[in-house]
């Protein structure tokens, strides 16, 4: 079902995040809704008059885990803060985890699970080296643990992970910072030196990656994932429609330049590649 704003201070037709995945995990949201007599009979969702995000555990955890004199975020501290803040905002949730207790003991399937997690990075790396010839140095944006960079190293491709999360066992070259317009202004030489900008499920950084590639005339390959329509309400397609879902988002990105191409990786889930070879 869809819940739509009808208030004067919000644009007509803007969707209220009616799925938990569209709101920060553990957040407290205040809202005021109205349900008319006709809606009660038809079973239609209520009309949201106004709403406000009051507590955002994720944002608070990021602030508390930010390292001094750096844009980096201590990953261990972030996870600890995230848990503590979630429980603080949700005191009725028991601290024990029944699901965890019901899990099967770790066995030989554990190694298979770890290999499965590496599969997207390996498959994307194979795609990159087969489509982008003479690839020597790339920026792996929002690369997390560096699985894509490690996979690319098997093909002698030098890679630098750009990701704010600082992990204890980072096995790749790593710059602990966000990739955004500010990064591009601070590091233009680095962007000029690399062959390609690559990003596997880069979340909020997706559009920044494509915009930077177009600005600096670089090859680019992105596998988009999350859309975050509530974070980017101003995104619109050429036909004026707002970007709401995954298909909309891919179309929105492709509309930025007619040279952009698409491909499908042999993976489950979000497997569409948007790329351009320069």
């Amino acid at each position: 079902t869809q819940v739509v704003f009808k208030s004067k201070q919000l644009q007509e037709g803007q969707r209220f995040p009616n799925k938990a995945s569209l709101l920060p995990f553990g957040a407290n949201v205040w809202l005021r809704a109205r349900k008319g007599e006709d809606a009660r009979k038809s079973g239609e969702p209520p009309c949201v008059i106004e709403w406000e995000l009051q507590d955002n555990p994720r944002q608070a955890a990021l602030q508390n885990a930010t390292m001094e004199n750096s844009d980096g975020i201590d990953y261990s501290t972030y996870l600890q803060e995230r848990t503590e803040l979630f429980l603080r905002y949700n005191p009725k949730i028991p601290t024990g985890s029944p699901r965890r207790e019901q899990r099967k003991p770790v066995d030989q399937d554990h190694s298979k699970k770890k290999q499965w997690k590496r599969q997207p990075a390996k498959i994307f790396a194979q795609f990159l080296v087969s489509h982008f010839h003479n690839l020597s140095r790339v920026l792996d944006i929002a690369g997390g643990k560096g699985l894509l960079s490690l996979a690319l190293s098997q093909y002698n491709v030098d890679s630098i992970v750009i990701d704010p999360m600082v992990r204890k066992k980072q096995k790749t070259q790593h710059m602990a910072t966000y990739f955004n317009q500010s990064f591009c202004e601070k590091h233009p030489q680095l962007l000029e030196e690399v062959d390609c900008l690559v990003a596997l499920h880069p979340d909020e950084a997706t559009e920044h990656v494509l915009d930077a590639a177009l600005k600096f005339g670089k090859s680019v390959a992105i596998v988009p994932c999350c859309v975050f329509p509530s974070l980017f309400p101003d995104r619109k397609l050429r036909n004026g429609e707002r970007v709401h879902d995954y298909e909309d988002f891919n179309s929105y990105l492709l509309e930025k330049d007619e040279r952009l191409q698409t491909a499908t990786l042999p993976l489950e889930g979000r497997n569409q590649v948007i790329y351009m070879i320069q």
Side-chain angles (χ1 to χ4, degrees), residues 51-90:
W51 74 292
E52 180 182 349
L53 184 63
Q54 293 187 319
D55 293 316
N56 187 339
R58 181 178 182 275
Q59 199 61 40
L62 286 172
Q63 292 175 357
N64 294 340
T66 299
M67 304 169 70
E68 293 186 10
N69 303 318
S70 169
D71 292 332
I73 297 168
D74 185 277
Y75 189 59
S76 297
T77 304
Y78 168 73
L79 292 180
Q80 182 178 355
E81 289 281 341
R82 192 76 175 81
T83 302
E84 292 177 356
L85 288 167
F86 174 75
L87 293 175
R88 185 190 308 169
Y89 294 142
N90 300 271

Side-chain angles (χ1 to χ4, degrees), residues 165-257:
M165 292 294 180
V166 179
R167 293 169 170 82
K168 292 182 178 179
K169 297 181 180 180
Q170 194 80 34
K171 299 180 180 180
T172 59
Q173 297 182 73
H174 179 230
M175 290 182 67
T177 185
Y178 292 94
F179 188 90
N180 48 28
Q181 185 176 350
S182 177
F183 177 92
C184 297
E185 293 172 353
K186 292 179 181 178
H187 306 283
Q189 184 176 351
L190 178 61
L191 287 162
E192 293 288 356
E193 291 174 351
V194 298
D195 303 317
C196 184
L197 306 185
V198 300
L200 176 60
H201 300 161
D203 292 339
E204 296 100 322
T206 302
E207 188 173 5
H208 291 303
V209 178
L210 184 53
D211 288 345
L214 294 173
K215 179 180 179 180
F216 287 86
K218 293 295 173 180
S219 295
V220 62
I222 307 170
V223 183
C225 185
C226 300
V227 181
F228 300 105
S230 57
L231 288 180
F232 304 98
D234 296 329
R235 286 174 173 165
K236 290 184 180 181
L237 297 166
R238 287 178 182 171
N239 61 10
E241 294 290 329
R242 293 185 179 86
V243 175
H244 290 308
D245 54 32
Y246 180 67
E247 287 71 23
D248 289 346
F249 190 35
N250 282 354
S251 297
Y252 170 78
L253 295 173
L254 288 168
E255 287 179 355
K256 286 179 175 288
D257 196 293

Side-chain angles (χ1 to χ4, degrees), residues 20 24-25 30 34 40 50 65 79 100-101 148 155 164 250 273:
F25 179 74
W30 173 88
R34 180 179 64 238
R40 290 192 183 94
E50 51 186 327
L79 292 180
R100 184 177 296 275
E101 294 173 0
L148 177 57
Y155 301 95
N250 282 354
V273 185

Side-chain angles (χ1 to χ4, degrees), residues 89-161:
Y89 294 142
N90 300 271
K92 295 183 180 180
I93 296 179
T95 55
S97 175
R99 290 183 181 180
R100 184 177 296 275
E101 294 173 0
Q102 294 171 6
R103 289 175 185 169
K104 296 180 181 180
V106 177
D107 54 17
Q108 59 184 3
D109 291 337
H110 181 66
S111 60
K112 294 182 180 179
K113 184 177 180 180
K114 291 181 70 175
Q115 292 177 2
W116 179 83
K117 286 184 176 181
R118 295 191 182 100
Q119 279 301 106
K122 290 183 177 180
I123 292 174
F124 189 33
Q126 291 171 358
F127 171 87
L128 292 171
V129 296
S130 64
H131 285 71
F132 296 80
H133 302 297
N134 301 319
L135 201 62
S136 62
R137 195 180 191 204
V138 304
L139 291 186
D140 177 10
I141 299 161
K145 296 179 181 179
L147 295 181
L148 177 57
S149 290
L150 289 173
L152 286 171
S153 68
Q154 301 300 311
Y155 301 95
N156 297 317
V157 177
D158 185 33
S159 179
I160 303 175
V161 174

